[in-house]
Amino acid sequence: MPETVDVAVVGGGVIGLSVARELRLAGVDRVLVLEREASVGQGSSSRANGGVRAQFTTRVNIEFSAFSISELERLDAATGLLGFHQTGYLLLCGTEAGEQGLAAACELQRSLGVDTRWLGPAEALELVPFLRPDGLRAATFHARDGFLDPHGVVAALRAETERLGAEIRTGTEVTAIEPAPGGALEVRAGDATARAGFVVNAAGPAAGRVAALGGTELPVAPVRRNLAYVREPGDPRELIPMCVDLDTGVLVRREASGGFVVAWSDPDDPPGWDTSVDPRFLEQLASRVGNRFPLLEDLPLDPRQCWAGLYPETPDHHAVVGPAPERPALLHCAGFGGHGVMHAPAAGRAVAELVTLDECRAFDLRPLRPSRFAEGDLVMETAVL
Ligand SMILES: Cc1cc2nc3c(=O)[nH]c(=O)nc-3n(C[C@H](O)[C@H](O)[C@H](O)COP(=O)(O)OP(=O)(O)OC[C@H]3O[C@@H](n4cnc5c(N)ncnc54)[C@H](O)[C@@H]3O)c2cc1C
């Protein structure tokens, strides 16, 4: 007889761990996390920049952020593991179209209870004096945004998940997901089989493959993203907000231990599994960083401290959360792009409600439903960094 569990979660990244934690908090009895690597959090979660922001352009993403920021604040206070620096995010724009988009997003965020502030150029420069002011038209700032240590989030979620009694089985790659009597599913990993009332696909960039194991289609693709580290001479300086130059897409934050982490995402990067730093990225960054951050043009980049990883991307830059139409016991919770660490708490709550209440009450999951791709009914998130 196969082992029987209530929910099997495929993938032990921030999403799978958060789902397992929330399932146990909601009273689900037997929760099993299956992770193919030797330890949890070694996938995309280990490569993240740690940014946390409520400054999105769609209701569902803003609501996921608002919920998650409160939970991350609580988790940091409870465990001391997250290193959550609430420096705020400062979004800067120098074009008329950019300003209109920023104003619309700011209004939507404020209507949903997020205290985003509209700033003129002088106020933005007060926050970050080394910005190049030329052509700067406007900025928005939300003080509860910031950045944290993604490894700390994994450590805190793992500890909580285990404390609450879910089982995490590492070194266990799921190789088949098959229908079982009564609408349940059987999950195979090597010679072992577990029968589960629900299977949660939390496989990050590999979620499309795991969906296929379960006989369903899911357009989640791995897309490489790169980060650069720039050294700054002298002692560590005061932290600054996470700065986003919307004109070029360059993102800059100061590290607590000194230096800057700088990111830029090429919208034309094709899907792929390579996680080495793309040499083209450094050139692309060099030609853009001076637009708002000329200070960084003169500082040395440390190639040994640059890194890359995979965004689990979807065509509309929204996650997929909900039952697979063809197989309702298979719940997808994947495709979080560049916001999976920050949205992990909300993702976990959404799945726990789907399992225990048969519906999600905390959020309207309609824009995240798996069937939207086949229906051609996509809403785009445009604040993609
Ligand atoms: C360079 C970079 C910067 C980023 N910056 C940010 C940021 O600032 N803020 C933010 O919120 N997010 C950021 N992200 C995105 C974030 O890292 C991801 O959205 C998030 O980690 C996704 O978590 P996950 O649990 O879905 O995926 P993962 O962490 O990849 O976890 C999925 C797990 O599933 C396991 N798995 C896959 N297939 C199987 C199988 N068949 N059987 C068993 N296990 C399996 C994998 O081994 C993996 O551990 C960034 C990502 C990158 C690459």
Side-chain angles (χ1 to χ4, degrees):
M1 279 293 286
E3 171 186 16
T4 303
V5 296
D6 294 304
V7 184
V9 180
V10 184
V14 282
I15 298 295
L17 292 172
S18 178
V19 165
R21 170 177 176 262
E22 285 284 345
L23 285 167
R24 287 293 301 135
L25 286 171
V28 178
D29 200 13
R30 292 156 304 172
V31 178
L32 174 64
V33 179
L34 301 164
E35 168 53 52
R36 69 180 170 195
E37 301 295 335
S39 54
V40 294
Q42 299 303 300
S44 294
S45 301
S46 67
R47 306 295 175 107
N49 194 1
V52 176
R53 63 180 159 113
Q55 296 188 65
F56 283 92
T57 66
T58 66
R59 181 186 184 105
V60 67
N61 275 345
I62 297 165
E63 288 181 344
F64 262 44
S65 292
F67 176 91
S68 296
I69 288 172
S70 296
E71 283 296 304
L72 292 167
E73 287 170 347
R74 258 196 290 279
L75 197 58
D76 196 25
T79 66
L81 290 172
L82 270 59
F84 193 6
H85 297 284
Q86 288 183 292
T87 54
Y89 257 63
L90 181 66
L91 272 55
L92 304 145
C93 73
T95 65
E96 195 181 336
E99 188 175 344
Q100 281 167 6
L102 201 57
C106 181
E107 200 181 312
L108 180 62
Q109 290 152 19
R110 293 192 62 82
S111 76
L112 295 170
V114 174
D115 193 17
T116 306
R117 282 168 49 208
W118 184 260
L119 306 184
E123 291 164 298
L125 278 148
E126 258 174 49
L127 289 175
V128 187
F130 64 77
L131 292 176
R132 180 172 158 274
D134 309 36
L136 181 60
R137 295 172 69 107
T140 55
F141 179 73
H142 177 234
R144 283 172 71 197
D145 294 347
F147 68 95
L148 43 63
D149 174 10
H151 301 279
V153 178
V154 168
L157 290 176
R158 188 192 61 206
E160 284 270 288
T161 303
E162 287 181 330
R163 182 181 64 77
L164 290 164
E167 186 186 345
I168 299 173
R169 214 169 282 168
T170 53
T172 307
E173 177 163 7
V174 171
T175 50
I177 301 172
E178 281 159 3
L185 291 170
E186 253 176 29
V187 177
R188 226 173 321 122
D191 295 338
T193 302
R195 184 168 293 178
F198 291 93
V199 173
V200 179
N201 175 8
R209 289 178 170 174
V210 168
L213 294 179
T216 67
E217 250 182 66
L218 186 69
V220 172
V223 179
R224 175 167 57 176
R225 294 295 178 224
N226 306 269
L227 292 167
Y229 178 75
V230 174
R231 282 199 299 265
E232 194 179 20
D235 292 334
R237 316 263 176 93
E238 207 181 317
L239 289 175
I240 55 167
M242 182 84 88
C243 299
V244 184
D245 174 9
L246 293 172
D247 303 342
T248 60
V250 172
L251 187 142
V252 169
R253 71 171 167 86
R254 194 177 250 142
E255 276 279 48
S257 54
F260 294 95
V261 174
V262 192
W264 181 75
S265 297
D266 184 345
D268 298 323
D269 267 344
W273 294 97
D274 188 357
T275 56
S276 61
V277 174
D278 184 350
R280 285 179 321 135
F281 159 70
L282 300 177
E283 291 161 29
Q284 290 164 325
L285 192 60
S287 66
R288 290 171 173 82
V289 73
N291 183 53
R292 286 284 163 241
F293 316 105
L295 166 78
L296 272 79
E297 286 184 310
D298 302 326
L299 294 176
L301 192 130
D302 186 343
R304 288 162 314 163
Q305 291 194 60
C306 298
W307 78 95
L310 302 174
Y311 272 19
E313 270 297 1
T314 62
D316 57 4
H317 306 294
H318 279 98
V320 188
V321 183
E326 321 82 334
R327 198 144 285 177
L330 178 58
L331 300 177
H332 297 306
C333 188
F336 285 85
H339 44 265
V341 175
M342 67 179 95
H343 281 174
R349 177 64 56 91
V351 171
E353 291 193 353
L354 288 174
V355 168
T356 56
L357 308 173
D358 202 25
E359 62 175 352
C360 181
R361 296 186 187 157
F363 312 101
D364 175 8
L365 295 181
R366 187 177 156 74
L368 309 186
R369 72 197 183 286
S371 64
R372 70 187 190 266
F373 304 104
E375 292 160 8
D377 182 16
L378 306 182
V379 178
M380 301 300 284
E381 172 56 71
T382 53
V384 178
L385 306 173

